[in-house]
Amino acid sequence: MSRRAFLPRALAAGAGAALVAAGDTARAQPRPSEFVFARLRYASGDWDYNPKVAANVLNSLVEYTNIPVYRDEVVIPADAPDLAAFPFLFMTGHLLVRFSDRERRGLRAFVEQGGLLFSDDCNHDIDGLYARSFEQEMRATFGKAGEMPKIPASHPLYRCFFTFDTPPTTAHELNGWGDDLVHDYLRAVEHDGRLGVLYSNKDYGCEWDYDWKNKRFRREDNTKLAVNIAVYAMTS
């Protein structure tokens, strides 16, 4: 079942049970047509890093697209029974990533039922703790597909709204750590011909972690790739 067929049905069935908004305050459930910025909560690391990303990305969707959005970030664990009701799941951190067997089953079902997990390594390296442990978890969860090969520059992700020749380079890659380590690729777990896990070592989380009102001071809006990821999650 495609995302288009599955997700409205799942949201209509009631995705509210796992909603954890700021202060655990009860909120109205998202409508089936709304994009929800859901963040993966995991016990082993700093899952709540880059707290302004959600508001900034949601602002960009409102600014550039006609996709309706749910106004609050949703925080949800990998073993939540209604995880698959969300089309998009954001994950970030610097530290260890370790999932239980139940959480692995939840993430596998999320991908198989049409979800897209975007995992962004705040360390922006290829051999740090987050990178090593997340990659191990993907192999444990998805087997061979969890090797996450690089996706080509011709992938529809880079054309589904804005057009990119390669994934945009971040300021952290250019000067944040002083190591000149620039990744000209993203990696992915694919399922049934579409992205189920999108993996970045580029530290987009820190790049997008600013008050959306300050976007007007930037020469180029650096959240445009986030718009593509959201559009891909809602339409592919």
Side-chain angles (χ1 to χ4, degrees), residues 8 12 22 47 66 72 124 129 131 135 138 147 175 178-179 185 188 222:
W47 60 268
N66 60 3
D72 297 308
H124 117 275
L129 185 55
E135 292 170 19
M138 290 300 97
E147 295 291 335
N175 55 33
D179 55 11
Y185 58 84
N222 60 9

Side-chain angles (χ1 to χ4, degrees), residues 175-192:
N175 55 33
W177 295 96
D179 55 11
D180 296 322
L181 182 61
V182 176
H183 304 87
D184 60 355
Y185 58 84
L186 299 176
R187 297 166 59 189
V189 172
E190 290 198 272
H191 179 75
D192 284 348

Side-chain angles (χ1 to χ4, degrees), residues 131-179:
R132 292 198 312 270
S133 57
F134 178 77
E135 292 170 19
Q136 290 168 0
E137 285 296 337
M138 290 300 97
R139 290 190 292 269
T141 302
F142 296 103
K144 186 176 181 180
E147 295 291 335
M148 296 186 294
K150 299 175 185 179
I151 63 173
S154 59
H155 195 278
L157 173 70
Y158 300 128
R159 305 289 186 276
C160 64
F161 197 82
F162 296 109
T163 298
F164 299 95
D165 295 326
T166 60
T169 299
T170 67
H172 289 264
E173 290 182 291
L174 294 175
N175 55 33
W177 295 96
D179 55 11

Side-chain angles (χ1 to χ4, degrees), residues 1-19 30-32 34 36 38-40 74-90 102-117 142 191 194 196 233-234 236:
M1 185 179 293
S2 72
R3 286 188 182 91
R4 294 183 189 184
F6 173 79
L7 293 168
R9 189 175 307 174
L11 277 168
L19 291 187
R31 295 182 177 88
E34 289 179 322
V36 180
R39 182 187 290 260
L40 182 67
V74 168
V75 178
I76 187 168
D79 57 357
D82 52 356
L83 180 67
F86 299 95
F88 170 83
L89 189 60
F90 176 68
R102 181 173 172 175
E103 288 171 323
R104 293 186 192 106
R105 289 194 298 270
L107 286 173
R108 188 162 57 245
F110 171 75
V111 168
E112 290 173 351
Q113 293 175 327
L116 173 63
L117 168 66
F142 296 103
H191 179 75
R194 53 175 174 72
M234 293 293 283
S236 300

Side-chain angles (χ1 to χ4, degrees), residues 34-74:
E34 289 179 322
F35 174 83
V36 180
F37 190 103
R39 182 187 290 260
L40 182 67
R41 181 178 64 201
Y42 57 102
S44 59
D46 53 343
W47 60 268
D48 54 350
Y49 203 73
N50 302 136
K52 295 179 182 178
V53 169
N56 207 358
V57 171
L58 293 174
N59 169 259
S60 293
L61 286 171
V62 170
E63 182 177 356
Y64 295 119
T65 79
N66 60 3
I67 297 174
V69 303
Y70 183 68
R71 67 173 190 173
D72 297 308
E73 178 180 272
V74 168

